Amino acid sequence: MSPRLFVLALASLLPLTGHGNDDVAASAPVAIPAPVEEVVVDAPEPRYVAPTLRDRIGRVWAPVYINGKGPYRLVLDTGANRTAVVPALANRIGKPHETQTVKVLGATGSSIVPIIKVDSIEVGDLWLGDRTVAIVPDVFGGAEGVLGADGLGDKRVHIDFKNDQISILRSTGPVRTSPGFTRVPVKLRYGHLLMFDVKLAGVRTRAMLDTGAETTIGNKSLRDALARRKRQGVTNSIVGVTLDVQYGETLPAPNVDIGDVSIQGMRVTFGDMYIFDAWKMTDAPALLIGMDIIGLLDTLIIDYKRREIHIRPRR
């Protein structure tokens, strides 16, 4: 039996029936009713931002208030366009399940799931009102769902792996960073996907930064472009948030150059993954960078408004 890797990102939530204005955010921010320090984490682990270590894939959690209650611990998922919660949290929110459904696109497949209506979603300077969230399987390792990128279009997300901190604030002016940061311009595809160019062994590759994915995966076009590097891979099964399973070949990848930062020793699972076809990223080399790589950074700043990311490698 091949080992299982998890790519739990939500690609998008597509309404099958329901209202067309669910993505319209309220105009006035609402104050968070309690400090984020009230997040209770029983396990001996970071509260908000866990770095990637030899025996653990990193994770980014956001302390989110839903309907003024919480905070609830949701995984920040830059690959998802909408927020989703697990069934237990849906029951705690106390709203009746809607008869409407949405189609969830995951890394390995799609599924139809129920939705629930909420009055507000709040974290930092982010406030979203009167919308629906999907109810998805509890596959997030203790988190209560995912916080998608809707509403982040004018925000700046600061993720500090070293000091276990995350902030979501309104983007006002240029990012001021200390020495050691690299600025990378990004394009927003489908309104939320963070796309930028990297190079693997000289092969220009379109990369997507996905904080909701545990594992870094590459498409078949990238594998073919690197075929001259004769290396034997290991077959692994990939499990997505929809619980569909696909198979890929995992092997050491050449250095990945992002601007003037070179990431060494990363492993990539290559295959005809469903998500690349859904995002129309099959014809040219493409890479979905997950938390196994992102969690190796010291700091990551995502400025959606200015369309740039700033990264500082771990010393």
Side-chain angles (χ1 to χ4, degrees):
M1 181 179 296
S2 61
R4 286 195 164 192
L5 305 176
F6 292 88
V7 182
L8 302 178
L10 287 172
S12 59
L13 305 177
L14 306 178
L16 299 181
T17 60
H19 309 291
N21 296 322
D22 285 342
D23 287 331
V24 178
S27 58
V30 173
I32 292 179
V36 297
E37 284 75 19
E38 288 187 9
V39 173
V40 177
V41 179
D42 295 328
E45 59 179 334
R47 281 179 146 186
Y48 308 114
V49 179
T52 293
L53 304 175
R54 287 184 178 271
D55 59 347
R56 182 186 68 193
I57 300 298
R59 197 53 115 190
V60 178
W61 298 282
V64 179
Y65 291 83
I66 300 178
N67 294 343
K69 298 178 180 179
Y72 303 112
R73 207 173 187 224
L74 304 188
V75 172
L76 175 66
D77 188 352
T78 57
N81 68 339
R82 299 280 293 278
T83 295
V85 298
V86 301
L89 179 54
N91 292 331
R92 289 173 64 187
I93 293 173
K95 293 280 187 177
H97 291 194
E98 300 279 348
T99 58
Q100 303 164 348
T101 57
V102 292
K103 182 179 181 180
V104 171
L105 302 184
T108 57
S110 63
S111 64
I112 307 301
V113 301
I115 59 177
I116 189 172
K117 188 173 180 60
V118 301
D119 298 325
S120 64
I121 299 173
E122 312 165 48
V123 54
D125 284 347
L126 175 67
W127 189 92
L128 303 172
D130 189 22
R131 63 194 47 235
T132 58
V133 299
I135 303 173
V136 295
D138 188 354
V139 293
F140 302 107
E144 296 171 288
V146 296
L147 176 67
D150 54 327
L152 294 180
D154 63 343
K155 302 299 188 297
R156 180 179 298 161
V157 182
H158 191 287
I159 302 167
D160 186 338
F161 290 97
K162 181 179 179 180
N163 296 308
D164 186 18
Q165 295 177 348
I166 179 175
S167 65
I168 300 177
L169 301 174
R170 205 171 299 277
S171 176
T172 56
V175 177
R176 294 186 175 89
T177 59
S178 56
F181 278 89
T182 294
R183 174 187 174 275
V184 181
V186 301
K187 295 181 179 180
L188 294 182
R189 191 171 183 181
Y190 302 120
H192 71 287
L193 296 180
L194 300 165
M195 311 292 295
F196 53 96
D197 291 330
V198 301
K199 285 187 177 180
L200 284 80
V203 176
R204 183 176 177 179
T205 303
R206 178 54 55 92
M208 197 276 286
L209 196 74
D210 192 346
T211 58
E214 293 187 1
T215 305
T216 296
I217 58 177
N219 67 357
K220 188 175 182 297
S221 294
L222 179 57
R223 181 68 180 96
D224 292 343
L226 298 173
R228 63 183 181 275
R229 300 173 64 90
K230 302 296 184 181
R231 293 190 177 186
Q232 183 66 36
V234 176
T235 299
N236 283 319
S237 58
I238 302 290
V239 182
V241 71
T242 60
L243 303 183
D244 295 290
V245 180
Q246 289 188 287
Y247 294 88
E249 181 186 20
T250 302
L251 68 162
N255 293 355
V256 178
D257 297 321
I258 307 175
D260 59 3
V261 173
S262 183
I263 300 176
Q264 304 175 0
M266 67 182 284
R267 298 178 68 83
V268 177
T269 300
F270 296 94
D272 290 323
M273 302 303 166
Y274 173 87
I275 197 62
F276 290 123
D277 185 60
W279 284 338
K280 296 179 174 56
M281 297 171 62
T282 58
D283 295 337
L287 187 70
L288 184 153
I289 300 178
M291 285 303 302
D292 54 341
I293 302 303
I294 299 171
L296 296 176
L297 299 174
D298 178 276
T299 307
L300 168 65
I301 300 173
I302 305 170
D303 195 316
Y304 282 89
K305 183 177 181 179
R306 301 182 67 85
R307 300 194 177 188
E308 61 188 25
I309 63 174
H310 296 256
I311 59 176
R312 182 169 63 187
R314 189 184 304 174
R315 296 178 180 178

